[in-house]
Amino acid sequence: MVEQKSERRGDIGRSSDLNDDSHTDLAWRNTATGQNLLWLMNDTQATATIELAPINDRIWQLSGSGDFNNDNTTDLLWYNHNTGEIVTWSLENAAIKERAQFDSQQTDTQWQLQGSGDFDGNGTDDLLWIHTSQNQAAIWFMNGLSRTQPQAIIRQTMQAGQNLGAIADYNQDGKADLTWYTPTGQSETWLMNGNIVTQTLGLRSPDTSSSWQILG
C-alpha cells in the first residue's frame, strides 16, 4: 500500500513514468505552500522523494503530463487559469531539464485545461479542455508545443455535474478515450476518434454511494 502524505494540502497531480525506469511515479503539488514533489515508485513503494522548484503563485495548476518536445521523456504540464498561459517542464532523470511555453494560450479562461492524451493517434499528446459553464469539452490537437488547428469541440454534451475521471486508450486503437463520473455514482466512457465520440459505454461504480470518485 502506498504511504499517504501527512500534509492535508499536498494534492496529488498526475501519475506517469518520470525517471524512465518503466515504473509509474507520482507528482504532488502543495496548494498551500507552492511546493512540488516527485515520488519515484517501485510498484507501490516510494523509493525516493525529489523536490522540484516551487511555484508560489497558486493560480498555476498541474494539469497533466506527456511528451510535448518529442524527446521520449515525460514533461509536466502547467496551466495558469487566470491568464490562459500553458508551460511545460521537461524532465530528465526526474530533474527539470527545460522550461517551455506553448505557442498558443487560452483566450477564454472559462475553458479549463483538464489533461492530455493522444486523441488523433499521431504520437503527440493533445490537450483536453472543459468549459466551466457550458457542459462542453474540446481538444487542442498538438505538434509538440504548437497547435495544429483551431480548438475542436467534442460533439457530445456532458451531463450536468459530470467530472473527468481518466484519459486512457481503453480499446487499444492508439487513440485516447475519456471516462466521466457524476456525484450520483454514474460513470461512462467515451471511445474517441479525434474529437468524435464513436461509442458511449456505461460503467457501474462500486456502489451507489456518492463518495466514490474515479482517480485514473
Side-chain angles (χ1 to χ4, degrees):
M1 184 174 181
V2 177
E3 179 186 359
Q4 293 182 339
K5 288 182 67 62
S6 60
E7 171 58 66
R8 291 179 61 87
R9 296 193 184 184
D11 296 333
I12 194 167
R14 290 292 186 270
S15 59
S16 55
D17 183 6
L18 301 172
N19 62 339
D20 302 315
D21 65 351
S22 300
H23 292 281
T24 299
D25 307 305
L26 300 178
W28 296 85
R29 174 157 173 75
N30 189 310
T31 55
T33 67
Q35 290 176 287
N36 302 301
L37 298 176
L38 302 181
W39 276 9
L40 303 185
M41 307 295 295
N42 184 357
D43 296 324
T44 60
Q45 298 295 319
T47 60
T49 298
I50 296 177
E51 187 164 354
L52 299 178
I55 301 179
N56 296 324
D57 187 347
R58 286 176 284 177
I59 298 300
W60 286 95
Q61 298 175 338
L62 180 57
S63 297
S65 61
D67 183 9
F68 296 100
N69 59 353
N70 300 316
D71 66 351
N72 297 316
T73 61
T74 300
D75 311 316
L76 297 181
L77 182 67
W78 296 91
Y79 176 58
N80 186 314
H81 60 81
N82 272 8
T83 66
E85 294 173 278
I86 312 165
V87 170
T88 61
W89 286 2
S90 179
L91 300 178
E92 185 173 42
N93 296 321
I96 301 172
K97 179 177 66 174
E98 182 181 24
R99 296 174 174 87
Q101 187 160 345
F102 276 58
D103 293 346
S104 302
Q105 67 182 51
Q106 182 60 263
T107 56
D108 180 355
T109 54
Q110 288 193 82
W111 286 100
Q112 295 294 298
L113 182 57
Q114 295 293 313
S116 60
D118 185 4
F119 290 96
D120 55 4
N122 70 344
T124 300
D125 284 305
D126 310 304
L127 304 185
L128 177 72
W129 301 85
I130 295 177
H131 198 281
T132 56
S133 63
Q134 295 181 355
N135 293 331
Q136 279 189 321
I139 295 170
W140 280 12
F141 294 108
M142 306 297 298
N143 181 14
L145 302 178
S146 299
R147 187 167 52 167
T148 61
Q149 58 181 275
Q151 179 167 284
I153 301 294
I154 296 177
R155 301 300 179 186
Q156 182 150 324
T157 303
M158 299 163 51
Q159 300 177 33
Q162 206 167 38
N163 299 292
L164 179 67
I167 302 173
D169 181 7
Y170 294 105
N171 58 349
Q172 298 182 344
D173 65 348
K175 299 175 183 179
D177 309 304
L178 302 173
T179 292
W180 307 89
Y181 72 93
T182 69
T184 60
Q186 296 175 307
S187 55
E188 65 180 19
T189 291
W190 293 359
L191 301 183
M192 306 293 297
N193 181 9
N195 64 315
I196 305 299
V197 180
T198 61
Q199 190 176 359
T200 299
L201 303 173
L203 302 174
R204 296 183 62 181
S205 60
D207 56 44
T208 58
S209 168
S210 61
S211 299
W212 288 99
Q213 296 181 355
I214 297 174
L215 296 180

